[in-house]
Amino acid sequence: MSKPRRWLVAIAGAVVAAGLAVPPSAVAQADEPIQDPLPDPVPSSLGLTVAEFAQFPKTELTPPPPDPPPDLRLIRHARINHLGEVPDGSGRLYVPDLNGRVYLVENGTQHIYVDFKAQFPDFFSGRGLGSGSGFVTFHPDFKRNGKFYTVHTENGAGLTKPTTWPSHSANPFLHSIITEWTATDPSADTFSGTRRQVMRIAEARQVHAIQQIDFNPYARKGSRDYGVLYVASGDGGQGATTTEPQQLGNPYGKILRINPTGTNGTGGQFGIPSDNPFVGTPGALGEIYAIGMRDPHRFSWDRATGRMYLGHIGEHRIEAVYDVRAGDNYGWSEREGEFLYKRNDPQCSVYPLPPDDAQYGYDYPVAAFDHNPPPGHPLCSDSGHAISGGFVYRGSIAELRGKYVFTDLVDGRIFYTEASEMRRGRPAAQIHQFQVYANGQRTDFRQLVGDARVDLRFGQDARGELYLVAKANGKVYKVTGIKRFASCAVGHTRVTGSGGADSWSPVTPDKWQFRGDSVILAEAGEARPGPRRPFEYAVLDKGPAFTNARVDTKVRLDTPVEVTNRDVIVVFGYASDTEFYYAHVSTDNTIYPHNGIFAVNNADRLRIDDQWNEVMSRGAPPAITDTAWHDVSVTHCADTGEISVRVDGELLMTAVDHTFGAGRTGFGSFDNIGRARDFRATGTAA
């Protein structure tokens, strides 16, 4: 669908547009805060295998923080935040450290290319998560012209220097400076040459300054995008209380697009491409490419389609991915993601869109996730989530191709969407969460870096291969392949549930009926002495016990849907009445005993699945909410301890546990009724 034409209004620089489709998830309702705006990312059986690639030295803030430091989030091993490849065919990689350095990396070994502290006496990285030497990008013709570009921040005497754009604040806290460097010898491993200032922006606060500057690496020489520099300029911390990101007369909360070697731009140190969307609009900066952003963190282009994607950090609730096009307006500070944002709202929440939303022409995310702060957490404070945009993978790993990969940079979760599903004007694409493997073992990045705050971002080399950059321990990891969770060969021995009562051993036989291939728990179970465990189940005692095993069956919950805690269970790894695993599939997912994977080991059942969030008191999405038949599949890989539970083909729950290495399978419930049919267990005989 083509984008509607916009009518541009110079007053206050606001953009007003003809109607765009309102996302289905944002249909207007009552004007009340939305407590849980978006569904959680779903688990994926795909796991990224990662290997350590490079270790960077510890670096310090400039100036050093007081003791104790006011913001512990700044105290990192090294504040490395990106990785790319120098576009000269040398294979050299580059990595900036916010604390004052740009490194080159060859064969996993790093050395300093430029030291900002030595170059800029007013260099500042002591406050603000993005302050310091924020980003570096090399001109696509660097091999010939030796030009590369950096962004850094200054304080102190630096604030007295003339700016390209002054802040509306009387006392700006920082200046963001884009610098052009020209290397005397582009092939040298240490910079020597000249530099000049391209742009200097005054920032009201220490946050949301310029995040990324970059060239489209896939633009061909002579094309409209070749040698054009994109600049992701945040709102300077002002968007929560002002409309600056919606105003076309300033650079805040915008993506700018400039010709860094031109001269017709503001201040005469860069040029404005003639095809920029607001060129010639009264009161508008011709440098602007798109507007309405809070903290545009990372952007990239898909080499297969040419589309530009932006990972955008929200205020208190929504982290979003946008499909960036000329003239877009992402709504901040009137919208947060696809929801209404109210400036100075004491609840710091989001609200349903108004009925007349289409008239504003805001462009909504093609993928998004929310923060889910724990109960009692102050909604106006940081809940520890922030997106870092990534890349559409087009490298050598077949199973990753076509996936847009990105991170929650704070907690180190790694996500993907299918690029083919990220379509404007359609429902947002489903977000999936990767598993992570290192040294053959499943892990996560909090474990890998030894810190609850990972500060994780993606990088990419010229071949499209992926790297993960962690501030917490100053390491870079390379993505080396894909491993599927619970993908063990389960064996070829198969046992079915047919054969009537002779095939099954129920806890209470009078409560059960066996009809052909159906196993029916007709009467609710009752609590029994001993550890807390399912009240009533039947074990399939035909055939051998299994080590690796997979159970496939169809289940139906016969308890009326009005009962919210209705459930059935699939038993596996069964050794005795007090030693077994079970997968609990339930209508409820808000209390500990429901909708999870559990181990009973001569003690009360212990929840072992990855999906349970103790702080939120919430697990995987409700498994079964009706009285229809549903396919349930449980796989147990005894050698790795990996356990997966799928409902109707979708991965619902995962766990890794080594309590039981072999056992039988079965079906049952706690105090509900239900049935299974076509029950079959396939595995390796113990």
Side-chain angles (χ1 to χ4, degrees):
M1 184 178 73
S2 62
K3 190 181 181 80
R5 182 177 178 181
R6 297 180 182 274
W7 286 265
L8 305 173
V9 181
I11 298 174
V15 175
V16 180
L20 287 177
V22 176
S25 57
V27 175
Q29 302 169 17
D31 187 22
E32 297 178 355
I34 301 175
Q35 301 303 323
D36 188 9
L38 295 171
D40 293 337
V42 300
S44 172
S45 62
L46 289 179
L48 297 181
T49 62
V50 301
E52 287 189 23
F53 176 75
Q55 171 71 71
F56 289 80
K58 185 173 177 59
T59 57
E60 304 294 341
L61 300 173
T62 301
D67 188 20
D71 191 346
L72 291 174
R73 297 173 299 174
L74 292 175
I75 310 303
R76 308 276 72 195
H77 178 89
R79 296 175 69 203
I80 53 176
N81 67 352
H82 184 64
L83 177 147
E85 183 169 330
V86 179
D88 62 357
S90 67
R92 295 179 295 174
L93 304 175
Y94 59 86
V95 176
D97 182 323
L98 285 159
N99 283 338
R101 298 171 179 174
V102 173
Y103 295 95
L104 290 184
V105 184
E106 297 179 78
N107 301 317
T109 302
Q110 48 73 24
H111 60 270
I112 298 173
Y113 184 62
V114 174
D115 185 345
F116 280 77
K117 292 182 182 181
Q119 297 279 342
F120 300 106
D122 301 312
F123 175 82
F124 181 85
S125 67
R127 280 180 61 187
L129 298 181
S131 66
S133 46
F135 211 84
V136 58
T137 187
F138 288 74
H139 192 281
D141 204 17
F142 172 76
K143 185 175 183 179
R144 184 187 65 83
N145 65 23
K147 294 186 183 299
F148 65 97
Y149 297 82
T150 62
V151 61
H152 75 280
T153 54
E154 294 184 2
N155 189 270
L159 300 184
T160 65
K161 296 179 181 179
T163 58
T164 311
W165 291 289
S167 168
H168 291 171
S169 170
N171 298 297
F173 187 84
L174 291 174
H175 282 182
S176 293
I177 300 98
I178 296 177
T179 302
E180 176 187 87
W181 308 73
T182 304
T184 304
D185 178 6
S187 65
D189 286 338
T190 303
F191 173 76
S192 176
T194 60
R195 71 173 193 262
R196 71 175 182 90
Q197 180 176 293
V198 174
M199 181 185 298
R200 180 180 284 260
I201 302 178
E203 309 285 0
R205 298 174 62 192
Q206 73 266 24
V207 295
H208 312 167
I210 296 176
Q211 291 283 20
Q212 179 178 354
I213 56 174
D214 224 341
F215 297 95
N216 181 348
Y218 311 119
R220 296 186 177 184
K221 186 172 287 190
S223 68
R224 59 180 290 275
D225 236 16
Y226 185 82
V228 172
L229 187 66
Y230 287 78
V231 178
S233 176
D235 68 3
Q238 295 288 85
T241 56
T242 76
T243 61
E244 282 194 348
Q246 288 295 308
Q247 298 168 12
L248 288 173
N250 69 68
Y252 302 108
K254 316 293 193 301
I255 291 178
L256 311 177
R257 182 174 179 265
I258 66 171
N259 173 8
T261 61
T263 59
N264 68 329
T266 305
Q269 300 301 304
F270 58 85
I272 299 175
S274 60
D275 60 346
N276 274 6
F278 301 108
V279 168
T281 300
L285 299 181
E287 293 89 346
I288 295 174
Y289 188 74
I291 77 169
M293 283 157 270
R294 175 184 181 269
D295 194 5
H297 187 252
R298 290 290 182 267
F299 58 85
S300 65
W301 289 265
D302 180 356
R303 74 168 68 198
T305 65
R307 287 182 173 163
M308 180 181 178
Y309 294 107
L310 168 70
H312 181 270
I313 297 176
E315 175 72 0
H316 295 298
R317 303 307 296 271
I318 308 298
E319 307 299 308
V321 180
Y322 291 96
D323 176 0
V324 180
R325 302 184 190 179
D328 277 355
N329 182 353
Y330 304 128
W332 181 253
S333 56
E334 311 301 313
R335 301 288 183 270
E336 184 176 354
E338 59 180 343
F339 301 95
L340 176 67
Y341 176 80
K342 296 182 178 181
R343 286 185 301 280
N344 303 311
D345 174 23
Q347 300 191 67
C348 294
S349 192
V350 292
Y351 295 79
L353 295 178
D356 64 347
D357 181 70
Q359 70 171 305
Y360 302 106
Y362 297 128
D363 300 283
Y364 290 117
V366 292
F369 65 95
D370 63 5
H371 287 194
N372 292 325
H377 183 88
L379 290 180
C380 295
S381 63
D382 184 5
S383 60
H385 298 285
I387 191 173
S388 181
F391 303 90
V392 178
Y393 182 80
R394 301 292 180 185
S396 64
I397 305 170
E399 288 185 281
L400 275 183
R401 289 184 195 137
K403 291 176 169 50
Y404 177 75
V405 296
F406 59 103
T407 72
D408 183 323
L409 66 88
V410 179
D411 63 24
R413 289 178 297 166
I414 306 175
F415 304 119
Y416 74 87
T417 66
E418 298 293 343
S420 60
E421 294 179 5
M422 295 197 298
R423 299 291 184 182
R424 296 158 67 103
R426 299 183 185 179
Q430 176 66 64
I431 295 177
H432 307 261
Q433 183 176 341
F434 278 116
Q435 313 280 334
V436 176
Y437 290 86
N439 301 315
Q441 301 296 314
R442 197 191 74 155
T443 184
D444 60 48
F445 264 91
R446 282 178 163 171
Q447 295 181 62
L448 280 178
V449 305
D451 199 308
R453 184 181 179 92
V454 181
D455 268 322
L456 189 69
R457 292 157 177 84
F458 267 111
Q460 181 180 245
D461 64 24
R463 294 164 298 282
E465 302 306 335
L466 297 173
Y467 300 78
L468 286 149
V469 181
K471 290 182 183 179
N473 63 354
K475 289 184 178 181
V476 173
Y477 301 80
K478 185 174 183 179
V479 176
T480 58
I482 283 289
K483 179 178 173 62
R484 284 195 173 269
F485 184 81
S487 60
C488 56
V490 295
H492 302 287
T493 303
R494 175 174 291 186
V495 179
T496 68
S498 61
D502 292 342
S503 299
W504 296 86
S505 293
V507 171
T508 311
D510 290 346
K511 297 181 183 295
W512 292 83
Q513 300 173 12
F514 302 93
R515 300 174 185 168
D517 64 355
S518 294
V519 183
I520 305 169
L521 176 56
E523 185 179 334
E526 298 175 355
R528 296 175 290 128
R532 184 73 173 181
R533 63 201 188 281
F535 298 168
E536 189 65 42
Y537 58 85
V539 173
L540 182 61
D541 57 9
K542 182 171 65 173
F546 291 130
T547 54
N548 291 355
R550 186 181 71 245
V551 174
D552 297 288
T553 186
K554 296 181 182 295
V555 304
R556 193 179 85 185
L557 276 65
D558 293 337
T559 299
V561 294
E562 292 77 17
V563 178
T564 59
N565 66 344
R566 51 205 292 272
D567 68 88
V568 292
I569 65 164
V570 174
V571 173
F572 58 102
Y574 180 89
S576 74
D577 183 42
T578 57
E579 299 170 297
F580 59 94
Y581 292 118
Y582 66 95
H584 188 280
V585 289
S586 170
T587 296
D588 178 71
N589 72 333
T590 62
I591 58 174
Y592 178 87
H594 279 249
N595 219 51
I597 305 172
F598 297 83
V600 178
N601 187 22
N602 295 309
D604 288 356
R605 76 284 186 256
L606 176 68
R607 187 158 192 160
I608 59 174
D609 59 279
D610 302 315
Q611 286 63 50
W612 177 247
N613 184 324
E614 185 174 2
V615 174
M616 295 292 294
S617 188
R618 185 168 69 188
I624 298 175
T625 59
D626 54 26
T627 56
W629 287 98
H630 294 272
D631 293 317
V632 174
S633 179
V634 178
T635 299
H636 175 216
C637 299
D639 49 350
T640 64
E642 294 181 349
I643 302 166
S644 68
V645 178
R646 293 179 178 272
V647 175
D648 295 327
E650 297 295 328
L651 184 63
L652 185 71
M653 294 177 283
T654 56
V656 176
D657 187 84
H658 294 275
T659 304
F660 305 115
R664 295 186 175 277
T665 61
F667 171 76
S669 179
F670 271 80
D671 54 356
N672 288 279
I673 56 176
R675 61 191 68 203
R677 71 183 186 198
D678 300 332
F679 190 101
R680 61 191 185 279
T682 307
T684 301

